[in-house]
Amino acid sequence: MRYPFPVGKSDFIQGDEAIARAAILAGCRFYAGYPITPASEIFEAMALYMPLVDGVSIQMEDELASMAAIIGASWAGAKAMTATSGPGFSLMQENLGYAIMTETPVVVVDVQRGGPSTGQPTLAAQGDIMQAIWGTHGDHSLIVLSPSTVQEAFDFTIRAFNLAEKYRTPVVLLTDAEIAHMRERVYVPLPEEIEIINRKLPANEEEAKFPFGDIHGDGVPPMPIFGRGYRTYVTGLTHDERGRPRTVEAEVHEKLIRRIIEKLERNREDIISYDAFELDDAEVAIVSTGIVSRSAVRAVKILRERGVKAGLLKLNTIWPFDFDMIEELAERVRKIYVPEMNLGQLYHLVKEGANGKAEVELIAKIGGEVHTPMEIVERVVG
């Protein structure tokens, strides 16, 4: 297959462009969205590329419809994605819950900007962390990834599709305006260099009768595809293994919700990803994610030059969150610093994980400017 962009070589591209190219290489063939800064370039790239790879790109009337469209496309057998920013992500929450409840593999890109409301359309923020995890109502779980470079934006997009397909779940790629509009050298691999995971399909008619049944014991049911002759019922109501509504039976509801959550919890080692930098002998640790991690790396180097044994834990997966790893880190260091572009979101997860074993201090910054390395250093040295 010929791709509408160079493969097997490096290119100098924006984060949004990297996400679009990665989606196509991951097998995405349906994109629905609504233009919004700073995610519009993803839509523009998909509108350009999709017709050239026999895919579909469609502008919907709003973000509610965009989310609904990719859910429908996924059940029709397509790998599907949408992209938005804070205001649009808020509108997607109800249908994001529907995708969780119906175990629909989709990828949702949230390019964060300053909020709330329309806020700061062209400036970066990290104010959607808690929303990405808990934005929809009810007990649930999903996967949230967070890149810190344009290369990671590319790589994590492919990983997002693979995780969505493997575990039949929505995956949120949580990036920001800085990474979206930043240009960096990105290696775009050949298709044969990329691991591609596709959803499990029913092996026969009998399996197709249980689109929400734990047939293989791994918590992830095979997914029947609409239009292939199966009689499949899909609903956001509490349902049994056949998909039939069972809204007043407590045991049915508990069995369904626990399975949806536990299929991710039992595979935490496969899902959770992080990078550790200078943590082996660290006495103070910085825990960060996304764009701020770039400043944190430099801050650790400066602190080391000044004789402070500092280290960095960069979280590539925000949810599921590895509370045990944070507690183990807290047992080895005297203090943990959490720089983030909000007034405290990742901080609360880290503090819960530390479990009182080490002091946890927030380094908050809002207004659209990324922390400088020296701002982090100055807080650490006091």
Side-chain angles (χ1 to χ4, degrees):
M1 178 180 180
R2 295 186 63 182
Y3 289 91
F5 45 78
V7 295
K9 60 179 66 176
S10 296
D11 207 348
F12 191 63
I13 54 176
Q14 284 187 331
D16 280 351
E17 170 77 16
I19 290 169
R21 294 189 188 185
I24 288 173
L25 283 167
C28 179
R29 291 299 179 268
F30 185 90
Y31 180 92
Y34 188 83
I36 184 170
T37 303
S40 293
E41 290 87 351
I42 297 175
F43 195 170
E44 292 168 2
M46 295 302 266
L48 174 65
Y49 294 146
M50 277 298 198
L52 303 176
V53 294
D54 199 25
V56 174
S57 177
I58 181 171
Q59 178 173 327
M60 304 301 292
E61 60 266 33
D62 54 34
E63 289 85 356
L64 287 83
S66 300
M67 192 70 207
I70 65 169
I71 291 170
S74 184
W75 276 97
K79 292 186 179 182
M81 182 179 82
T82 188
T84 189
S85 189
F89 194 49
S90 295
L91 294 175
M92 291 181 177
Q93 292 305 315
E94 181 181 1
N95 276 333
L96 184 58
Y98 183 85
I100 292 169
M101 190 64 152
T102 58
E103 300 178 74
T104 306
V106 291
V107 174
V108 180
V109 182
D110 177 17
V111 185
Q112 297 170 97
R113 70 191 213 187
S117 189
T118 44
Q120 297 176 292
T122 61
L123 299 180
Q126 292 182 314
D128 300 354
I129 291 175
M130 285 299 185
Q131 184 185 30
I133 301 169
W134 301 120
T136 197
H137 64 281
D139 294 299
H140 64 273
S141 191
L142 75 171
I143 298 172
V144 183
L145 307 180
S146 175
S148 63
T149 68
V150 178
Q151 183 70 62
E152 285 184 350
F154 181 94
D155 296 339
F156 290 8
T157 299
I158 293 174
R159 186 162 191 259
F161 277 98
N162 284 343
L163 291 172
E165 295 282 314
K166 187 173 185 178
Y167 297 111
R168 260 190 74 177
T169 184
V171 178
V172 176
L173 184 69
L174 199 59
T175 179
D176 64 75
E178 289 288 351
I179 295 169
H181 292 158
M182 176 187 302
R183 289 185 182 272
E184 288 186 316
R185 180 180 179 272
V186 174
Y187 177 66
V188 180
L190 293 165
E192 54 266 30
E193 297 177 287
I194 303 172
E195 179 188 12
I196 298 296
I197 297 174
N198 297 312
R199 68 194 69 173
K200 287 187 297 185
L201 300 176
N204 48 53
E205 182 70 33
E206 190 61 28
E207 283 194 3
K209 293 178 181 178
F210 299 92
F212 303 98
D214 189 7
I215 295 172
H216 301 296
D218 60 357
V220 184
M223 185 175 177
I225 301 303
F226 286 4
R228 296 190 183 177
Y230 299 126
R231 183 177 179 179
T232 303
Y233 195 99
V234 179
T235 176
L237 294 169
T238 295
H239 47 271
D240 63 17
E241 294 180 345
R242 291 178 179 267
R244 300 173 299 192
R246 292 289 187 271
T247 60
V248 296
E249 300 172 34
E251 63 277 11
V252 173
H253 183 81
E254 181 169 2
K255 182 180 180 181
L256 172 65
I257 300 305
R258 286 193 180 276
R259 181 180 59 74
I260 288 173
I261 293 172
E262 289 172 2
K263 71 181 179 181
L264 301 183
E265 287 298 312
R266 71 171 65 170
N267 290 289
R268 293 165 63 86
E269 291 186 7
D270 180 49
I271 297 168
I272 292 173
S273 169
Y274 62 89
D275 292 312
F277 178 65
E278 299 282 12
L279 278 177
D280 289 344
D281 65 342
E283 296 176 356
V284 296
I286 299 168
V287 178
S288 65
T289 193
I291 187 67
V292 179
S293 300
R294 302 167 72 105
S295 294
V297 170
R298 180 59 183 155
V300 167
K301 293 178 180 179
I302 295 171
L303 287 164
R304 287 273 172 174
E305 291 169 359
R306 295 187 177 189
V308 179
K309 291 184 177 180
L312 169 67
L313 179 64
K314 183 174 82 72
L315 303 179
N316 302 326
T317 307
I318 299 178
W319 197 262
F321 190 80
D322 198 335
F323 292 100
D324 293 337
M325 179 177 64
I326 295 297
E327 184 171 10
E328 292 172 5
L329 176 63
E331 291 172 348
R332 299 183 354 236
V333 300
R334 58 180 172 80
K335 193 167 184 177
I336 298 173
Y337 295 86
V338 185
E340 52 183 326
M341 295 179 68
N342 56 55
L343 296 180
Q345 295 190 25
L346 182 64
Y347 161 76
H348 293 289
L349 296 173
V350 174
K351 189 172 183 180
E352 180 181 348
N355 198 23
K357 304 291 177 62
E359 182 183 355
V360 180
E361 182 175 324
L362 169 67
I363 307 177
K365 189 174 184 180
I366 58 175
E369 294 183 356
V370 183
H371 298 66
T372 67
M374 287 308 300
E375 286 174 333
I376 299 173
V377 168
E378 289 165 3
R379 286 290 293 274
V380 174
V381 300

